[in-house]
Amino acid sequence: MTAKRTLAVLTLCLVFGFGAVAGCAPQGASEPAGEGSAMPATGEEPQADSHSYTDEELAVIAGEEGTTHDAINEDVYPGKDYIDQLYDRWDAVAEEYAPEIRTLPDGRMVQRTPTEYGIAPGAWQTQANTNSYNTYWLDADNRGCGSCHADLGAVLKNMAFEHTQVWNDDIKSNLTVQECINCHHWAPGYMEKNMEFGTLMHAVHFGQRHKVQFSDEFGGNCNSCHNATDNGQGMEMWDLVKYDHLWGINNIASEDLKDASFSFEQETTQDNAFSFEWMHAYYDQMRHGAGVQETNLPQSLFDSWEITVDGLVGAPYTATLKDLVAEAESAGVVIEKTSKIVCSWNMVGGGGISNVKITGIPVSWLVEKAGGVQDGANGVRAMRADGSSKRSFSLDKLNANEALLVYKINGEPLGAKQGYPCTNWVEGVDAQVFSKQINAYTVADDCPPDFNDSKYCAENYDGSPNGWFDENGVIVNRPNATVLDVPEGLVIETGKPYDFHGYVDAYNERISQMEFSFDGGETWTAYELKDADPNRVVWWHLQWTPPEQGAYRLTVRATTAEGSESKQTHTVLVNAKDVLPAQEETTVLETTGLVAPHAVAADQA
């Protein structure tokens, strides 16, 4: 077979699945540089790299007359010099296209694309124990949001138009494109138009303002964000399917996950209560502006703030917040406890959740001062001072002292963003009813007929939906099992325990079980959560030791005692290495907002 004929056959093997075609070379076979080669040229001819053979072996390699069967073995055979050159060329390509390792501003390293250790032992591409299917052929280092935006949260923080605060630095959540899709796909009452994520993102990247930067400076095209398939799914989002296509991800079945240990606790608190910074009403704008500028709202606002208790009560009244706090503290009815706040729109992987220490007056005590609840009432409305909200909570929450007028968080007066001077707080439900700067509690008879009817609450903007509905009427984030503080492709050390951690929550439902998968959801390892309190965030920990080098993906999901199961799962990727690279061997990032993709950075180096 001539050299050109050999190249043609090898090229067909590459195009048709690396050996999937009958008669082709083993999986992953490549071709040396030359005419018709798909490989980038690094020299005129691929040269063997310091291979030493005896004269007798060289004769066998040259195919000289007299060669016998006994002289041929796996180390020496006719044409071995050509294969040596092929391996050398493939090694050079693998080195040139080694997955990029970045050092983040916090000093941690990430490798977004797996190294292909040990793929198909015995196949050609494993000769150097690494190869470049992921990076050379799939161009994975230059695909997905992370190729340009090392931290999507940083992108939103620094965009020209302020974005709602969906990041949470206190718990170190990592924003993903799935969260962006969820919100921009279906959010009636919040988004002007639904199912607009694709429209928005294509306009952002290919519109007049950014198309030159995206296309020319960053080499962006459709393949940067999408995966074109023959599976009938059309143009998939690369970030949502990449782990199904990348080589080199180690799978561990549940029966082999023997060294992992699970634990959970609910006492850890954050410095601040998470807050979506909507700007719907003028009080929203006041809070947001004062919070951004760290303006301390005056004590006089607290001292003069009035709270009214009216509606179906025996003796409606109005009193200043200052006097109510003094009286409640004197009576010893003030409650201090750890409690959670979580947004109904907090998607899987999101940061819209916190545990904090709250100090507040039971609303039941305020209502008793008004003569108690009268017949016919079915709930209590929390009325915001600017009239922008009048959501309600159930009498069950009132009677259980799970509804509080909160005036301190973590022992300090509320900040502007938290609703100074006071906010309504209802435990075990989403934050829709956590009305900031509340000035009235109205005992009413027109509240939701069933506060557990999430659909009714969502459609009527009343009560707490306790989750977010998609266009099919399904709650997609109850329960929500999320991994925290694992940037995409985090580099960890082989043989050393690593603490995966995060939270799991289900609003008003109790988490009963968490499950973990290290093989893409084929098998699961389950852990029972006993006596988890639905009024506080469950912080979970899974300590695990990577057994060998390579990429590993962890997927998490959960179940509630009431029977709800995760509709969306959260997956993170880590890369375990025997020896961590030196920082100077990596791409050191000074910012995580917008960075040059790997190929562009290499060209500019």
Side-chain angles (χ1 to χ4, degrees):
M1 181 180 289
T2 66
K4 287 187 177 180
R5 173 60 177 159
T6 303
L7 292 174
V9 172
L10 288 172
T11 302
L12 284 173
C13 292
L14 292 168
V15 172
F16 291 105
F18 286 79
V21 180
C24 287
Q27 182 175 346
S30 182
E31 58 189 4
E35 182 180 354
S37 172
M39 296 294 181
T42 57
E44 291 301 323
E45 294 290 341
Q47 299 295 321
D49 183 18
S50 65
H51 302 289
S52 297
Y53 299 103
T54 66
D55 290 341
E56 291 78 8
E57 289 173 334
L58 289 173
V60 173
I61 292 172
E64 291 185 4
E65 185 62 37
T67 298
T68 65
H69 178 269
D70 291 340
I72 299 174
N73 57 54
E74 63 182 31
D75 297 317
V76 180
Y77 47 83
K80 180 68 160 54
D81 55 348
Y82 174 78
I83 299 303
D84 286 341
Q85 294 175 38
L86 188 61
Y87 284 165
D88 292 342
R89 182 65 191 128
W90 191 251
D91 288 349
V93 171
E95 181 176 354
E96 181 179 355
Y97 285 85
E100 179 191 32
I101 301 176
R102 295 171 173 174
T103 297
L104 301 177
D106 65 7
R108 293 185 296 175
M109 297 179 182
V110 295
Q111 179 183 318
R112 298 176 56 249
T113 302
T115 301
E116 296 148 60
Y117 299 110
I119 298 296
W124 285 9
Q125 78 270 17
T126 63
Q127 294 303 308
N129 206 31
T130 61
N131 56 82
S132 52
Y133 175 77
N134 290 341
T135 51
Y136 184 81
W137 293 108
L138 298 188
D139 197 28
D141 266 350
N142 297 317
R143 301 178 71 180
C145 300
S147 64
C148 295
H149 310 290
D151 181 352
L152 286 178
V155 176
L156 299 188
K157 289 179 187 178
N158 298 307
M159 64 189 300
F161 291 87
E162 284 196 57
H163 193 284
T164 302
Q165 185 179 327
V166 293
W167 58 89
N168 189 338
D169 294 335
D170 284 339
I171 63 173
K172 297 182 179 179
S173 61
N174 297 100
L175 186 68
T176 69
V177 72
Q178 182 63 71
E179 295 170 64
C180 303
I181 292 171
N182 282 342
C183 292
H184 285 272
H185 176 75
W186 189 254
Y190 293 88
M191 293 293 179
E192 182 66 24
K193 290 184 179 296
N194 293 308
M195 300 183 181
E196 286 282 285
F197 179 75
T199 300
L200 175 62
M201 287 300 101
H202 286 94
V204 167
H205 290 83
F206 290 102
Q208 186 65 34
R209 286 185 303 280
H210 303 298
K211 65 180 179 181
V212 172
Q213 182 184 31
F214 177 65
S215 300
D216 296 346
E217 181 179 344
F218 291 92
N221 53 43
C222 296
N223 205 49
S224 302
C225 303
H226 295 283
N227 184 55
T229 73
D230 59 359
N231 62 8
Q233 300 303 309
M235 296 293 283
E236 302 170 320
M237 285 296 297
W238 171 252
D239 274 341
L240 302 185
V241 300
K242 59 190 174 185
Y243 298 146
D244 297 328
H245 299 286
L246 293 172
W247 289 6
I249 299 178
N250 295 334
N251 289 321
I252 303 176
S254 60
E255 60 265 24
D256 298 323
L257 196 66
K258 298 179 175 131
D259 67 334
S261 61
F262 173 81
S263 63
F264 78 94
E265 51 89 11
Q266 297 188 271
E267 293 301 326
T268 297
T269 59
Q270 286 68 56
D271 292 337
N272 299 288
F274 176 81
S275 174
F276 269 161
E277 289 308 306
W278 300 115
M279 289 182 277
H280 288 168
Y282 73 90
Y283 271 36
D284 290 319
Q285 296 170 12
M286 176 189 71
R287 287 192 301 269
H288 180 70
V292 170
Q293 294 185 339
E294 298 182 353
T295 299
N296 292 321
L297 298 180
Q299 180 66 37
S300 58
L301 185 63
F302 184 99
D303 293 344
S304 63
W305 196 268
E306 293 184 335
I307 300 294
T308 296
V309 181
D310 59 11
L312 294 176
V313 293
Y317 68 91
T318 298
T320 65
L321 177 62
K322 178 182 178 181
D323 289 343
L324 287 173
V325 169
E327 184 180 351
E329 289 179 345
S330 176
V333 299
V334 171
I335 292 177
E336 296 181 334
K337 66 190 307 185
T338 297
S339 188
K340 75 179 181 186
I341 178 172
V342 55
C343 182
S344 65
W345 211 352
N346 184 43
M347 297 303 172
V348 173
I353 190 169
S354 299
N355 248 6
V356 290
K357 296 282 188 181
I358 59 171
T359 302
I361 304 170
V363 180
S364 61
W365 183 80
L366 296 173
V367 171
E368 284 303 311
K369 278 178 56 67
V373 176
Q374 303 297 292
D375 292 342
N378 70 336
V380 180
R381 294 198 176 278
M383 315 294 283
R384 190 176 292 167
D386 64 3
S388 60
S389 177
K390 57 177 183 177
R391 286 181 180 262
S392 60
F393 55 89
S394 69
L395 295 179
D396 289 340
K397 293 294 183 182
L398 179 78
N399 296 330
N401 284 340
E402 292 181 330
L404 303 168
L405 178 62
V406 168
Y407 57 94
K408 285 184 180 180
I409 289 180
N410 292 333
E412 299 292 335
L414 276 60
K417 287 189 175 184
Q418 297 166 337
Y420 181 87
C422 60
T423 186
N424 183 53
W425 194 284
V426 182
E427 294 193 290
V429 298
D430 74 62
Q432 294 281 15
V433 73
F434 285 48
S435 297
K436 299 174 182 177
Q437 295 183 310
I438 182 177
N439 72 339
Y441 285 107
T442 299
V443 179
D445 59 2
D446 60 347
C447 300
D450 181 359
F451 279 92
N452 290 318
D453 187 343
S454 296
K455 190 70 171 173
Y456 178 94
C457 292
E459 292 176 347
N460 290 275
Y461 301 98
D462 201 356
S464 295
N466 295 320
W468 195 257
F469 288 89
D470 65 11
E471 68 273 25
N472 298 313
V474 175
I475 291 180
V476 297
N477 59 348
R478 188 180 75 198
N480 176 344
T482 286
V483 186
L484 296 173
D485 202 22
V486 179
E488 182 185 13
L490 179 67
V491 175
I492 61 177
E493 291 189 67
T494 308
K496 291 188 177 181
Y498 181 77
D499 180 40
F500 285 106
H501 62 276
Y503 67 81
V504 58
D505 184 73
Y507 302 103
N508 58 330
E509 298 185 8
R510 182 179 69 81
I511 301 297
S512 59
Q513 179 178 270
M514 282 199 71
E515 295 178 274
F516 300 86
S517 176
F518 278 91
D519 57 7
E522 292 295 322
T523 62
W524 296 87
T525 300
Y527 297 95
E528 184 179 355
L529 281 72
K530 292 184 178 179
D531 303 321
D533 183 355
N535 292 342
R536 293 180 290 170
V537 181
V538 174
W539 308 105
W540 61 263
H541 294 262
L542 184 76
Q543 192 171 78
W544 167 80
T545 302
E548 60 182 355
Q549 288 200 119
Y552 297 87
R553 54 181 163 171
L554 171 67
T555 304
V556 296
R557 69 184 186 186
T559 305
T560 72
E562 290 77 7
S564 296
E565 299 177 344
S566 295
K567 302 300 186 299
Q568 289 185 357
T569 58
H570 193 204
T571 298
V572 296
L573 182 83
V574 295
N575 279 284
K577 294 185 179 295
D578 292 341
V579 179
L580 299 183
Q583 186 179 100
E584 57 268 22
E585 298 173 336
T586 72
T587 301
V588 180
L589 302 184
E590 296 181 358
T591 176
T592 55
L594 186 68
V595 300
H598 180 40
V600 176
D603 291 343
Q604 293 174 348

